[in-house]
Amino acid sequence: MKEITFEDIQKANETIRTTDIKGKEYAEVNQRIKAFRMIYPQGTIHTELISNENGICIFKASVVNEEGKLLADGTAYEKENSTFINKTSYIENCETSAVGRALGMAGFGIDTSIASAEEVANAMTQQDANKVIDKKMIDSLNKAIENAQIKDEVVELILGQYGYASTAEIKIKDYMNIVNDFKSKK
């Protein structure tokens, strides 16, 4: 079997299409897999669900060459409902992220970052979800509460269930659930 060199991996990496996220290029996991298969067509990628408890999933992925030699490991962590995609597919998302990280550690798609495009986009979505809603949303919600004549104690109860004392504290991730709770009180 031919000895694999860094130059071989570099050539495979040149075939990888990247995705621009806020001005920086990231390799997608499928592109990393394609590059891996160019170099190791009979290699394997093993995944293992390490933990899935209380809506928190941890995966480990291992990249192995055709002779069974471990090239690299990668791990990932995802929370159920932390993003739109994680509402239904947090386990699959976690597995894909672990594969992307393992391939990155093995040298595939790392010209700009170990993190994959999917990983970066997911992290940005989670950061946005923790931002407080804007003034327009606060005003709109307050107006809807007023128009529906929802009592102050009901407003306090609903907001309190999410850990908020006022509508000005609501985070994006909780906004729609809170709106739906208020709708059900009409």
Side-chain angles (χ1 to χ4, degrees):
M1 180 175 179
K2 177 188 175 253
E3 180 74 24
I4 304 300
T5 66
F6 179 71
E7 287 75 27
D8 294 328
I9 294 173
Q10 273 188 310
K11 285 179 187 171
N13 281 342
E14 289 171 7
T15 69
I16 292 176
R17 289 191 319 260
T18 58
T19 300
D20 181 296
I21 300 177
K22 294 201 173 190
K24 190 170 181 186
E25 296 294 320
Y26 293 91
E28 293 181 21
V29 175
N30 69 321
Q31 294 294 308
R32 290 178 182 199
I33 293 170
K34 184 179 86 170
F36 172 72
R37 291 282 173 229
M38 289 174 72
I39 303 298
Y40 300 104
Q42 302 303 311
T44 56
I45 300 169
H46 300 281
T47 62
E48 178 185 358
L49 178 62
I50 301 295
S51 174
N52 184 20
E53 296 177 14
N54 302 318
I56 296 173
C57 174
I58 299 172
F59 252 95
K60 176 183 176 184
S62 301
V63 178
V64 179
N65 72 7
E66 291 149 337
E67 297 167 345
K69 178 183 174 195
L70 177 67
L71 300 174
D73 287 324
T75 57
Y77 161 104
E78 291 291 343
K79 288 171 88 174
E80 186 176 20
N81 295 317
S82 62
T83 65
F84 181 75
I85 193 76
N86 281 358
K87 287 183 190 296
T88 59
S89 304
Y90 77 106
I91 295 171
E92 297 89 336
N93 196 21
C94 188
E95 182 180 36
T96 300
S97 292
V99 168
R101 293 192 66 75
L103 289 168
M105 295 298 188
F108 294 97
I110 60 166
D111 290 343
T112 59
S113 175
I114 294 291
S116 67
E118 294 88 346
E119 231 179 315
V120 172
N122 188 32
M124 289 170 59
T125 300
Q126 287 182 30
Q127 288 171 359
D128 287 346
N130 286 314
K131 289 181 180 173
V132 174
I133 59 175
D134 63 28
K135 184 173 178 354
K136 224 182 214 180
M137 294 168 85
I138 295 167
D139 292 345
S140 176
L141 181 57
N142 286 337
K143 190 71 172 167
I145 291 167
E146 182 184 321
N147 289 343
Q149 298 177 348
I150 299 172
K151 294 180 181 176
D152 289 346
E153 50 273 10
V154 173
V155 172
E156 287 174 20
L157 178 69
I158 290 172
L159 293 177
Q161 290 173 342
Y162 295 88
Y164 301 121
S166 76
T167 56
E169 299 173 355
I170 297 172
K171 294 181 180 178
I172 291 171
K173 67 180 179 182
D174 297 322
Y175 180 73
M176 285 310 299
N177 289 330
I178 291 171
V179 167
N180 288 331
D181 287 352
F182 280 125
K183 282 182 181 177
S184 71
K185 298 298 179 193
K186 287 184 177 181

